[in-house]
Amino acid sequence: MNLIISNASDQPIYEQVASQLRDAILAGELSEGELLPSIRSLANSLRISVITTKRAYAELERQGFIDTVQGKGSFVARGNRELLFEGRRRQVESLLSQALDQALSAGIDPEELHQMLDLLADAPREEI
């Protein structure tokens, strides 16, 4: 697992950790039931505070991505990957709805917006 922390990001460090772990779970890079690094181990490898790592794990547990068993560690939650993915899908739909509202108020019709999205989808990610 390769997590990257950016001090230049506007996003707090615990959110960067939680977001990257959540993305790895949704992408299937971390399997259901897989043991995650201990809080202390992850904090040491990322050179961040144990408290920050604990906060990231707590956030993931609150969202249902991981389960923590006292004395055994934190594991990728079982059986709800589809439900979690559906939550992300709803979030994307909400953002697209906001983009459509903004486009319409700027005089951009849905067809042109669709073309813009196609161009963005085809562009290499580092260009965006």
Side-chain angles (χ1 to χ4, degrees):
M1 180 171 40
N2 188 20
L3 302 180
I4 300 170
I5 303 302
S6 171
N7 291 324
S9 174
D10 292 338
Q11 190 178 36
I13 293 174
Y14 84 92
E15 286 182 8
Q16 292 179 49
V17 172
S19 175
Q20 290 178 57
L21 287 171
R22 183 175 36 253
D23 290 347
I25 291 168
L26 289 173
E29 295 169 18
L30 295 172
S31 305
E32 292 179 359
E34 185 172 339
L35 177 65
L36 296 175
S38 71
I39 290 172
R40 187 172 307 283
S41 170
L42 185 59
N44 286 337
S45 69
L46 295 175
R47 296 188 175 120
I48 61 174
S49 164
V50 171
I51 295 168
T52 300
T53 307
K54 185 174 183 175
R55 187 170 180 190
Y57 275 33
E59 180 68 15
L60 289 168
E61 189 164 13
R62 186 186 67 74
Q63 294 172 350
F65 285 91
I66 68 172
D67 294 317
T68 300
V69 179
Q70 188 67 31
K72 293 192 177 190
S74 297
F75 301 83
V76 175
R78 294 185 181 272
N80 60 354
R81 186 167 174 242
E82 293 81 19
L83 182 62
L84 297 171
F85 183 74
E86 187 59 32
R88 292 287 297 264
R89 181 183 300 272
R90 281 194 312 273
Q91 186 178 30
V92 169
E93 287 173 355
S94 174
L95 292 170
L96 288 172
S97 178
Q98 290 174 29
L100 178 60
D101 291 344
Q102 290 289 320
L104 292 174
S105 70
I108 299 170
D109 64 45
E111 184 177 323
E112 185 178 354
L113 181 62
H114 194 278
Q115 291 171 354
M116 292 168 73
L117 182 59
D118 287 343
L119 286 171
L120 289 170
D122 291 340
R125 300 311 307 157
E126 58 272 1
E127 287 183 17
I128 298 174

mmCIF file of all heavy atoms in Angstrom, residues 28-62:
data_model
loop_
_atom_site.group_PDB
_atom_site.id
_atom_site.type_symbol
_atom_site.label_atom_id
_atom_site.label_comp_id
_atom_site.label_asym_id
_atom_site.label_seq_id
_atom_site.Cartn_x
_atom_site.Cartn_y
_atom_site.Cartn_z
ATOM 1 N N GLY A 28 -10.735 -2.146 -4.949
ATOM 2 C CA GLY A 28 -10.426 -3.560 -4.768
ATOM 3 C C GLY A 28 -8.964 -3.840 -4.499
ATOM 4 O O GLY A 28 -8.540 -4.985 -4.478
ATOM 5 N N GLU A 29 -8.174 -2.783 -4.303
ATOM 6 C CA GLU A 29 -6.755 -2.966 -3.992
ATOM 7 C C GLU A 29 -6.570 -3.536 -2.587
ATOM 8 O O GLU A 29 -5.563 -4.180 -2.303
ATOM 9 C CB GLU A 29 -6.008 -1.640 -4.124
ATOM 10 C CG GLU A 29 -5.991 -1.099 -5.542
ATOM 11 C CD GLU A 29 -5.493 0.343 -5.605
ATOM 12 O OE1 GLU A 29 -4.859 0.811 -4.639
ATOM 13 O OE2 GLU A 29 -5.747 0.990 -6.630
ATOM 14 N N LEU A 30 -7.532 -3.256 -1.724
ATOM 15 C CA LEU A 30 -7.573 -3.839 -0.387
ATOM 16 C C LEU A 30 -8.818 -4.719 -0.333
ATOM 17 O O LEU A 30 -9.923 -4.261 -0.606
ATOM 18 C CB LEU A 30 -7.638 -2.751 0.697
ATOM 19 C CG LEU A 30 -6.429 -1.839 0.805
ATOM 20 C CD1 LEU A 30 -6.706 -0.688 1.764
ATOM 21 C CD2 LEU A 30 -5.213 -2.628 1.273
ATOM 22 N N SER A 31 -8.635 -5.976 0.008
ATOM 23 C CA SER A 31 -9.729 -6.945 -0.019
ATOM 24 C C SER A 31 -10.533 -6.930 1.274
ATOM 25 O O SER A 31 -10.017 -6.578 2.336
ATOM 26 C CB SER A 31 -9.164 -8.355 -0.219
ATOM 27 O OG SER A 31 -8.372 -8.402 -1.368
ATOM 28 N N GLU A 32 -11.784 -7.371 1.171
ATOM 29 C CA GLU A 32 -12.629 -7.508 2.347
ATOM 30 C C GLU A 32 -11.946 -8.420 3.357
ATOM 31 O O GLU A 32 -11.418 -9.468 3.003
ATOM 32 C CB GLU A 32 -13.981 -8.096 1.963
ATOM 33 C CG GLU A 32 -14.817 -7.169 1.124
ATOM 34 C CD GLU A 32 -16.155 -7.775 0.737
ATOM 35 O OE1 GLU A 32 -16.427 -8.938 1.114
ATOM 36 O OE2 GLU A 32 -16.916 -7.091 0.052
ATOM 37 N N GLY A 33 -11.928 -7.985 4.592
ATOM 38 C CA GLY A 33 -11.318 -8.770 5.659
ATOM 39 C C GLY A 33 -9.819 -8.608 5.783
ATOM 40 O O GLY A 33 -9.215 -9.136 6.720
ATOM 41 N N GLU A 34 -9.199 -7.867 4.864
ATOM 42 C CA GLU A 34 -7.747 -7.684 4.901
ATOM 43 C C GLU A 34 -7.337 -6.826 6.098
ATOM 44 O O GLU A 34 -7.965 -5.814 6.400
ATOM 45 C CB GLU A 34 -7.270 -7.027 3.605
ATOM 46 C CG GLU A 34 -5.760 -6.909 3.494
ATOM 47 C CD GLU A 34 -5.307 -6.422 2.123
ATOM 48 O OE1 GLU A 34 -6.069 -6.551 1.138
ATOM 49 O OE2 GLU A 34 -4.172 -5.909 2.049
ATOM 50 N N LEU A 35 -6.297 -7.260 6.769
ATOM 51 C CA LEU A 35 -5.764 -6.531 7.919
ATOM 52 C C LEU A 35 -5.012 -5.304 7.438
ATOM 53 O O LEU A 35 -4.145 -5.386 6.565
ATOM 54 C CB LEU A 35 -4.825 -7.432 8.729
ATOM 55 C CG LEU A 35 -4.128 -6.801 9.929
ATOM 56 C CD1 LEU A 35 -5.150 -6.392 10.989
ATOM 57 C CD2 LEU A 35 -3.106 -7.778 10.515
ATOM 58 N N LEU A 36 -5.350 -4.155 8.011
ATOM 59 C CA LEU A 36 -4.648 -2.918 7.696
ATOM 60 C C LEU A 36 -3.439 -2.777 8.621
ATOM 61 O O LEU A 36 -3.398 -3.400 9.681
ATOM 62 C CB LEU A 36 -5.581 -1.723 7.896
ATOM 63 C CG LEU A 36 -6.803 -1.662 6.983
ATOM 64 C CD1 LEU A 36 -7.704 -0.494 7.372
ATOM 65 C CD2 LEU A 36 -6.389 -1.541 5.535
ATOM 66 N N PRO A 37 -2.476 -1.950 8.243
ATOM 67 C CA PRO A 37 -1.338 -1.724 9.146
ATOM 68 C C PRO A 37 -1.849 -1.164 10.474
ATOM 69 O O PRO A 37 -2.863 -0.463 10.510
ATOM 70 C CB PRO A 37 -0.492 -0.677 8.413
ATOM 71 C CG PRO A 37 -0.950 -0.699 6.996
ATOM 72 C CD PRO A 37 -2.368 -1.172 7.002
ATOM 73 N N SER A 38 -1.139 -1.470 11.528
ATOM 74 C CA SER A 38 -1.524 -0.905 12.818
ATOM 75 C C SER A 38 -1.421 0.613 12.744
ATOM 76 O O SER A 38 -0.703 1.166 11.904
ATOM 77 C CB SER A 38 -0.624 -1.433 13.933
ATOM 78 O OG SER A 38 0.669 -0.865 13.817
ATOM 79 N N ILE A 39 -2.131 1.283 13.626
ATOM 80 C CA ILE A 39 -2.109 2.744 13.650
ATOM 81 C C ILE A 39 -0.686 3.248 13.835
ATOM 82 O O ILE A 39 -0.227 4.136 13.116
ATOM 83 C CB ILE A 39 -3.052 3.273 14.756
ATOM 84 C CG1 ILE A 39 -4.505 3.021 14.343
ATOM 85 C CG2 ILE A 39 -2.811 4.754 15.019
ATOM 86 C CD1 ILE A 39 -5.525 3.316 15.421
ATOM 87 N N ARG A 40 0.021 2.661 14.766
ATOM 88 C CA ARG A 40 1.405 3.076 15.041
ATOM 89 C C ARG A 40 2.313 2.795 13.843
ATOM 90 O O ARG A 40 3.124 3.631 13.453
ATOM 91 C CB ARG A 40 1.928 2.371 16.294
ATOM 92 C CG ARG A 40 3.289 2.870 16.726
ATOM 93 C CD ARG A 40 3.722 2.309 18.072
ATOM 94 N NE ARG A 40 2.757 2.491 19.142
ATOM 95 C CZ ARG A 40 2.545 3.638 19.796
ATOM 96 N NH1 ARG A 40 3.223 4.708 19.470
ATOM 97 N NH2 ARG A 40 1.650 3.710 20.761
ATOM 98 N N SER A 41 2.165 1.637 13.247
ATOM 99 C CA SER A 41 2.997 1.268 12.100
ATOM 100 C C SER A 41 2.770 2.215 10.914
ATOM 101 O O SER A 41 3.721 2.678 10.284
ATOM 102 C CB SER A 41 2.687 -0.169 11.685
ATOM 103 O OG SER A 41 3.297 -0.484 10.464
ATOM 104 N N LEU A 42 1.494 2.507 10.628
ATOM 105 C CA LEU A 42 1.189 3.406 9.520
ATOM 106 C C LEU A 42 1.703 4.814 9.814
ATOM 107 O O LEU A 42 2.275 5.470 8.942
ATOM 108 C CB LEU A 42 -0.313 3.428 9.235
ATOM 109 C CG LEU A 42 -0.745 4.239 8.019
ATOM 110 C CD1 LEU A 42 -0.091 3.724 6.740
ATOM 111 C CD2 LEU A 42 -2.264 4.235 7.879
ATOM 112 N N ALA A 43 1.517 5.263 11.051
ATOM 113 C CA ALA A 43 2.009 6.591 11.431
ATOM 114 C C ALA A 43 3.525 6.678 11.238
ATOM 115 O O ALA A 43 4.032 7.664 10.699
ATOM 116 C CB ALA A 43 1.637 6.897 12.881
ATOM 117 N N ASN A 44 4.240 5.642 11.663
ATOM 118 C CA ASN A 44 5.697 5.638 11.504
ATOM 119 C C ASN A 44 6.108 5.640 10.034
ATOM 120 O O ASN A 44 7.012 6.371 9.642
ATOM 121 C CB ASN A 44 6.316 4.440 12.223
ATOM 122 C CG ASN A 44 6.315 4.596 13.728
ATOM 123 O OD1 ASN A 44 6.261 5.710 14.246
ATOM 124 N ND2 ASN A 44 6.358 3.481 14.434
ATOM 125 N N SER A 45 5.443 4.820 9.230
ATOM 126 C CA SER A 45 5.841 4.737 7.818
ATOM 127 C C SER A 45 5.524 6.027 7.062
ATOM 128 O O SER A 45 6.238 6.383 6.124
ATOM 129 C CB SER A 45 5.187 3.540 7.136
ATOM 130 O OG SER A 45 3.801 3.723 7.001
ATOM 131 N N LEU A 46 4.466 6.738 7.477
ATOM 132 C CA LEU A 46 4.109 7.989 6.815
ATOM 133 C C LEU A 46 4.761 9.206 7.471
ATOM 134 O O LEU A 46 4.644 10.323 6.970
ATOM 135 C CB LEU A 46 2.582 8.177 6.814
ATOM 136 C CG LEU A 46 1.774 7.170 6.012
ATOM 137 C CD1 LEU A 46 0.285 7.414 6.218
ATOM 138 C CD2 LEU A 46 2.144 7.229 4.542
ATOM 139 N N ARG A 47 5.402 8.956 8.619
ATOM 140 C CA ARG A 47 6.029 10.021 9.405
ATOM 141 C C ARG A 47 5.010 11.085 9.814
ATOM 142 O O ARG A 47 5.225 12.288 9.617
ATOM 143 C CB ARG A 47 7.197 10.637 8.650
ATOM 144 C CG ARG A 47 8.314 9.657 8.423
ATOM 145 C CD ARG A 47 9.533 10.336 7.848
ATOM 146 N NE ARG A 47 10.612 9.387 7.765
ATOM 147 C CZ ARG A 47 11.207 9.043 6.638
ATOM 148 N NH1 ARG A 47 10.840 9.599 5.509
ATOM 149 N NH2 ARG A 47 12.188 8.167 6.640
ATOM 150 N N ILE A 48 3.887 10.588 10.330
ATOM 151 C CA ILE A 48 2.842 11.469 10.840
ATOM 152 C C ILE A 48 2.491 11.043 12.260
ATOM 153 O O ILE A 48 2.923 9.994 12.732
ATOM 154 C CB ILE A 48 1.578 11.464 9.942
ATOM 155 C CG1 ILE A 48 0.957 10.068 9.869
ATOM 156 C CG2 ILE A 48 1.905 12.007 8.561
ATOM 157 C CD1 ILE A 48 -0.365 10.019 9.111
ATOM 158 N N SER A 49 1.696 11.822 12.918
ATOM 159 C CA SER A 49 1.291 11.558 14.292
ATOM 160 C C SER A 49 0.388 10.326 14.383
ATOM 161 O O SER A 49 -0.440 10.073 13.502
ATOM 162 C CB SER A 49 0.535 12.776 14.831
ATOM 163 O OG SER A 49 -0.175 12.473 15.987
ATOM 164 N N VAL A 50 0.541 9.586 15.466
ATOM 165 C CA VAL A 50 -0.342 8.460 15.751
ATOM 166 C C VAL A 50 -1.780 8.969 15.890
ATOM 167 O O VAL A 50 -2.729 8.319 15.449
ATOM 168 C CB VAL A 50 0.114 7.714 17.026
ATOM 169 C CG1 VAL A 50 -0.910 6.690 17.469
ATOM 170 C CG2 VAL A 50 1.466 7.052 16.796
ATOM 171 N N ILE A 51 -1.947 10.143 16.470
ATOM 172 C CA ILE A 51 -3.280 10.728 16.647
ATOM 173 C C ILE A 51 -3.927 11.001 15.291
ATOM 174 O O ILE A 51 -5.119 10.753 15.096
ATOM 175 C CB ILE A 51 -3.197 12.020 17.495
ATOM 176 C CG1 ILE A 51 -2.732 11.673 18.910
ATOM 177 C CG2 ILE A 51 -4.523 12.763 17.510
ATOM 178 C CD1 ILE A 51 -2.346 12.868 19.756
ATOM 179 N N THR A 52 -3.152 11.481 14.340
ATOM 180 C CA THR A 52 -3.662 11.743 12.992
ATOM 181 C C THR A 52 -4.107 10.447 12.329
ATOM 182 O O THR A 52 -5.180 10.377 11.726
ATOM 183 C CB THR A 52 -2.579 12.437 12.138
ATOM 184 O OG1 THR A 52 -2.220 13.670 12.767
ATOM 185 C CG2 THR A 52 -3.056 12.694 10.726
ATOM 186 N N THR A 53 -3.292 9.409 12.459
ATOM 187 C CA THR A 53 -3.624 8.111 11.875
ATOM 188 C C THR A 53 -4.868 7.536 12.542
ATOM 189 O O THR A 53 -5.757 7.002 11.871
ATOM 190 C CB THR A 53 -2.443 7.143 12.016
ATOM 191 O OG1 THR A 53 -1.277 7.764 11.479
ATOM 192 C CG2 THR A 53 -2.700 5.851 11.271
ATOM 193 N N LYS A 54 -4.941 7.657 13.858
ATOM 194 C CA LYS A 54 -6.106 7.164 14.590
ATOM 195 C C LYS A 54 -7.369 7.877 14.126
ATOM 196 O O LYS A 54 -8.426 7.258 13.967
ATOM 197 C CB LYS A 54 -5.905 7.357 16.090
ATOM 198 C CG LYS A 54 -6.994 6.766 16.928
ATOM 199 C CD LYS A 54 -6.662 6.853 18.410
ATOM 200 C CE LYS A 54 -7.754 6.184 19.225
ATOM 201 N NZ LYS A 54 -7.433 6.140 20.639
ATOM 202 N N ARG A 55 -7.271 9.168 13.863
ATOM 203 C CA ARG A 55 -8.421 9.945 13.388
ATOM 204 C C ARG A 55 -8.862 9.464 11.995
ATOM 205 O O ARG A 55 -10.056 9.366 11.715
ATOM 206 C CB ARG A 55 -8.070 11.424 13.366
ATOM 207 C CG ARG A 55 -9.239 12.306 13.052
ATOM 208 C CD ARG A 55 -8.907 13.760 13.266
ATOM 209 N NE ARG A 55 -10.049 14.594 12.952
ATOM 210 C CZ ARG A 55 -10.010 15.901 12.856
ATOM 211 N NH1 ARG A 55 -8.887 16.551 13.068
ATOM 212 N NH2 ARG A 55 -11.096 16.587 12.552
ATOM 213 N N ALA A 56 -7.895 9.160 11.133
ATOM 214 C CA ALA A 56 -8.221 8.652 9.795
ATOM 215 C C ALA A 56 -8.944 7.308 9.896
ATOM 216 O O ALA A 56 -9.961 7.080 9.230
ATOM 217 C CB ALA A 56 -6.950 8.510 8.952
ATOM 218 N N TYR A 57 -8.441 6.414 10.745
ATOM 219 C CA TYR A 57 -9.070 5.109 10.927
ATOM 220 C C TYR A 57 -10.466 5.259 11.525
ATOM 221 O O TYR A 57 -11.402 4.565 11.126
ATOM 222 C CB TYR A 57 -8.205 4.213 11.802
ATOM 223 C CG TYR A 57 -7.118 3.452 11.070
ATOM 224 C CD1 TYR A 57 -6.475 3.988 9.957
ATOM 225 C CD2 TYR A 57 -6.716 2.199 11.495
ATOM 226 C CE1 TYR A 57 -5.475 3.299 9.302
ATOM 227 C CE2 TYR A 57 -5.712 1.496 10.851
ATOM 228 C CZ TYR A 57 -5.100 2.049 9.748
ATOM 229 O OH TYR A 57 -4.114 1.346 9.097
ATOM 230 N N ALA A 58 -10.620 6.188 12.476
ATOM 231 C CA ALA A 58 -11.934 6.415 13.096
ATOM 232 C C ALA A 58 -12.934 6.903 12.049
ATOM 233 O O ALA A 58 -14.100 6.486 12.045
ATOM 234 C CB ALA A 58 -11.810 7.418 14.236
ATOM 235 N N GLU A 59 -12.485 7.773 11.159
ATOM 236 C CA GLU A 59 -13.352 8.279 10.099
ATOM 237 C C GLU A 59 -13.768 7.148 9.162
ATOM 238 O O GLU A 59 -14.933 7.036 8.788
ATOM 239 C CB GLU A 59 -12.625 9.385 9.316
ATOM 240 C CG GLU A 59 -13.423 9.989 8.200
ATOM 241 C CD GLU A 59 -14.628 10.800 8.664
ATOM 242 O OE1 GLU A 59 -14.732 11.143 9.853
ATOM 243 O OE2 GLU A 59 -15.499 11.075 7.814
ATOM 244 N N LEU A 60 -12.824 6.295 8.787
ATOM 245 C CA LEU A 60 -13.142 5.162 7.909
ATOM 246 C C LEU A 60 -14.092 4.189 8.588
ATOM 247 O O LEU A 60 -14.984 3.623 7.944
ATOM 248 C CB LEU A 60 -11.850 4.443 7.490
ATOM 249 C CG LEU A 60 -10.972 5.215 6.514
ATOM 250 C CD1 LEU A 60 -9.607 4.555 6.394
ATOM 251 C CD2 LEU A 60 -11.637 5.317 5.150
ATOM 252 N N GLU A 61 -13.924 3.994 9.885
ATOM 253 C CA GLU A 61 -14.820 3.102 10.619
ATOM 254 C C GLU A 61 -16.228 3.717 10.696
ATOM 255 O O GLU A 61 -17.223 3.025 10.504
ATOM 256 C CB GLU A 61 -14.272 2.828 12.016
ATOM 257 C CG GLU A 61 -15.045 1.754 12.740
ATOM 258 C CD GLU A 61 -14.308 1.202 13.939
ATOM 259 O OE1 GLU A 61 -13.313 1.789 14.387
ATOM 260 O OE2 GLU A 61 -14.755 0.149 14.434
ATOM 261 N N ARG A 62 -16.295 5.014 10.948
ATOM 262 C CA ARG A 62 -17.584 5.702 11.006
ATOM 263 C C ARG A 62 -18.327 5.592 9.680
ATOM 264 O O ARG A 62 -19.543 5.442 9.639
ATOM 265 C CB ARG A 62 -17.364 7.179 11.357
ATOM 266 C CG ARG A 62 -18.659 7.959 11.578
ATOM 267 C CD ARG A 62 -18.398 9.442 11.765
ATOM 268 N NE ARG A 62 -17.882 10.088 10.576
ATOM 269 C CZ ARG A 62 -18.592 10.388 9.482
ATOM 270 N NH1 ARG A 62 -19.857 10.090 9.434
ATOM 271 N NH2 ARG A 62 -18.038 10.992 8.452
#
